[in-house]
Amino acid sequence: MVEQLGGLSFLPLPDRGPDRDAFFGQILTGWKRQQFAKNFGASTINRRLASIQAFADFTEKFPWEWTPGDADDYFTHLRQVRGLTVATIRAYQSDVLLFCAYATSDDYPWNETCGRTFGMSMSQVITDQNKSRHRTDSPSSLEKRSFEIDEIQEFFDFADDEVERVVRSKRKGGLEAWRDAVAFKVAYGWGLRHDELRRLRVSDFSASAKAPYFGDYGVLRVRHGKSTAGSPKRQRSVLTLMDWAAEAVADWIDNGLPRLGEPLDLLFPTSSGGVVSKGQLLRRFRSYAAALDLAPGLDIHGLRRSYVTHMITVADYDDKFISMQVGHTNTSTTTIYTLPSADYAAKELERVLTRDVLKSTGKLLRKPLRPSGRKPR
């Protein structure tokens, strides 16, 4: 790939035509720099570049030769042959759409130069006719679920028992099992995403003047929240709502972390002091869920999903407050997370009716004798 934007390496030489690979490389390099200018992360940019290269390799064509039909063939292959999910297909289509929008923009010289050099121009190949539709209730989203209250209790009890079992067996891994057990409780106790959880630091906890009974763990500052496109990681402060979660963290900081040797600021470090990997936590989670034979649909993100569901449908917190707790810009996003239990509707109806009756004179409403509510003459 050519690194000099606007270079002339693709121009024809006396013994050969224009270098198409070099020109394609310059477009990719320009797109890469444009994305850095828009503050996208390196991992996102590299993934998008790889996605475009994979599309070009599949079609065996250059961007100025692509057609919507090529896109149809490629995404059909990804869906039917490779078995990728709808969400993944949508992400790949977005990559191609963004690349084509950049390459065909009048703000850049690529399309004009392409026409003069190769006699062809580039066009958008992701259109309303072949773009995957976004559906909130997609099959993939319906497979995920929250823990039931008894399930989350069983899961945490099993995690605690596993720590004791490993310690009693005098095998290595007891400290790591303790770390992961506390990590799962923190993910649920403060409604955290996977990456937010792994990068927590001891110094992120502080006391709350409004809730002094939580001690030094009344507020959790989340520094690595999910960012929107082109923006840095979002930060937020999460108020502690569960005393047992604060106690678990305090016990780990006082008695667990010191066993790793030097004082470490990371809340859940590896034995070498690094950030615990997603794979480590995921393997532990899956092994516990399998050992308990829990119904399908649970994952680590399900701990966050369960926090939202339980705080709103069981603890009766206001959904706007919980939306702020988990870092959602819109409350509507939070309601998608909320998956009430089967008997929630009946319990909610009973609660509301009881509240309304208590507010009245204590007399139950009588059924009217006529639809109008007036007595017959």
Side-chain angles (χ1 to χ4, degrees):
M1 183 182 296
V2 178
E3 290 295 336
Q4 286 295 327
L5 184 62
L8 302 177
S9 58
F10 59 85
L11 293 181
L13 296 177
D15 58 339
R16 66 174 188 268
D19 192 331
R20 298 185 297 173
D21 286 308
F23 183 62
F24 183 25
Q26 286 203 350
I27 301 176
L28 289 175
T29 299
W31 189 42
K32 177 180 180 180
R33 293 176 177 176
Q34 183 228 32
Q35 292 180 88
F36 272 122
K38 295 175 68 175
N39 292 325
F40 284 106
S43 59
T44 298
I45 295 173
N46 291 333
R47 179 191 60 77
R48 287 175 174 173
L49 292 173
S51 179
I52 297 304
Q53 191 63 62
F55 180 53
D57 291 343
F58 177 86
T59 62
E60 297 183 343
K61 297 179 180 179
F62 290 95
W64 48 93
E65 300 170 327
W66 293 347
T67 66
D70 294 324
D72 295 347
D73 293 341
Y74 179 60
F75 294 114
T76 299
H77 171 80
L78 294 184
R79 182 67 174 154
Q80 296 185 353
V81 178
R82 294 183 55 186
L84 300 186
T85 65
V86 174
T88 303
I89 298 294
R90 189 181 300 115
Y92 287 166
Q93 285 186 345
S94 177
D95 295 339
V96 175
L97 186 150
L98 290 173
F99 172 78
C100 290
Y102 166 78
T104 59
S105 172
D106 293 337
D107 295 330
Y108 296 94
W110 305 119
N111 224 6
E112 181 182 353
T113 304
C114 183
R116 292 200 313 266
T117 308
F118 303 103
M120 303 177 67
S121 61
M122 294 175 282
S123 61
Q124 180 62 260
V125 298
I126 304 298
T127 69
D128 291 338
Q129 301 300 318
N130 61 7
K131 185 178 180 181
S132 176
R133 293 179 298 169
H134 181 78
R135 296 177 297 173
T136 300
D137 296 327
S138 64
S140 59
S141 65
L142 293 178
E143 293 174 358
K144 303 300 181 183
R145 67 180 184 89
S146 301
F147 280 86
E148 296 292 339
I149 291 294
D150 58 341
E151 286 181 327
I152 198 74
Q153 185 65 60
E154 186 180 16
F155 183 85
F156 289 150
D157 289 344
F158 183 87
D160 291 337
D161 292 341
E162 187 68 6
V163 176
E164 295 183 9
R165 186 190 68 79
V166 175
V167 171
R168 285 198 305 268
S169 68
K170 300 185 184 301
R171 294 166 49 195
K172 293 182 178 180
L175 195 58
E176 287 76 10
W178 185 4
R179 175 200 64 198
D180 295 349
V182 177
F184 295 145
K185 294 175 183 177
V186 170
Y188 173 76
W190 282 270
L192 302 182
R193 299 181 180 91
H194 204 159
D195 202 47
E196 296 171 349
L197 173 71
R198 295 188 310 115
R199 299 181 183 279
L200 286 180
R201 296 183 177 275
V202 176
S203 56
D204 290 335
F205 282 99
S206 61
S208 171
K210 298 293 182 66
Y213 35 83
F214 290 126
D216 293 332
Y217 304 97
V219 180
L220 174 62
R221 183 180 180 186
V222 178
R223 302 173 185 269
H224 295 272
K226 185 178 181 181
S227 61
T228 55
S231 64
K233 295 291 185 181
R234 296 166 62 186
Q235 300 188 20
R236 70 181 187 278
S237 293
V238 185
L239 302 180
T240 302
L241 303 180
M242 307 178 198
D243 54 357
W244 59 265
E247 292 169 1
V249 172
D251 186 33
W252 167 248
I253 292 176
D254 293 341
N255 304 305
L257 276 178
R259 301 188 185 188
L260 291 173
E262 298 179 2
L264 297 169
D265 193 30
L266 282 173
L267 186 59
F268 303 117
T270 62
S271 57
S272 60
V275 177
V276 64
S277 69
K278 291 182 180 179
Q280 165 63 32
L281 290 176
L282 184 59
R283 285 190 295 271
R284 180 89 65 182
F285 181 95
R286 287 174 174 172
S287 67
Y288 289 0
L292 292 169
D293 195 25
L294 297 177
L298 295 174
D299 55 9
I300 292 182
H301 195 76
L303 295 168
R304 170 179 165 89
R305 189 181 298 113
S306 301
Y307 170 85
V308 173
T309 298
H310 297 164
M311 291 303 100
I312 294 178
T313 67
V314 179
D316 202 27
Y317 282 100
D318 181 76
D319 54 0
K320 180 61 177 178
F321 169 67
I322 297 302
S323 179
M324 294 170 60
Q325 288 278 93
V326 296
H328 286 158
T329 303
N330 300 310
T331 307
S332 58
T333 306
T334 308
T335 59
I336 296 175
Y337 276 55
T338 309
L339 303 174
S341 57
D343 61 346
Y344 168 69
K347 290 181 179 179
E348 182 67 6
L349 178 61
E350 180 183 0
R351 182 186 68 81
V352 172
L353 288 178
T354 301
R355 180 198 62 193
D356 291 345
V357 168
L358 291 175
K359 285 183 177 179
S360 69
T361 59
K363 298 179 181 180
L364 293 176
L365 296 176
R366 296 181 181 275
K367 182 178 180 180
L369 299 179
R370 286 188 174 182
S372 64
R374 293 179 295 180
K375 292 181 180 182
R377 294 180 179 178

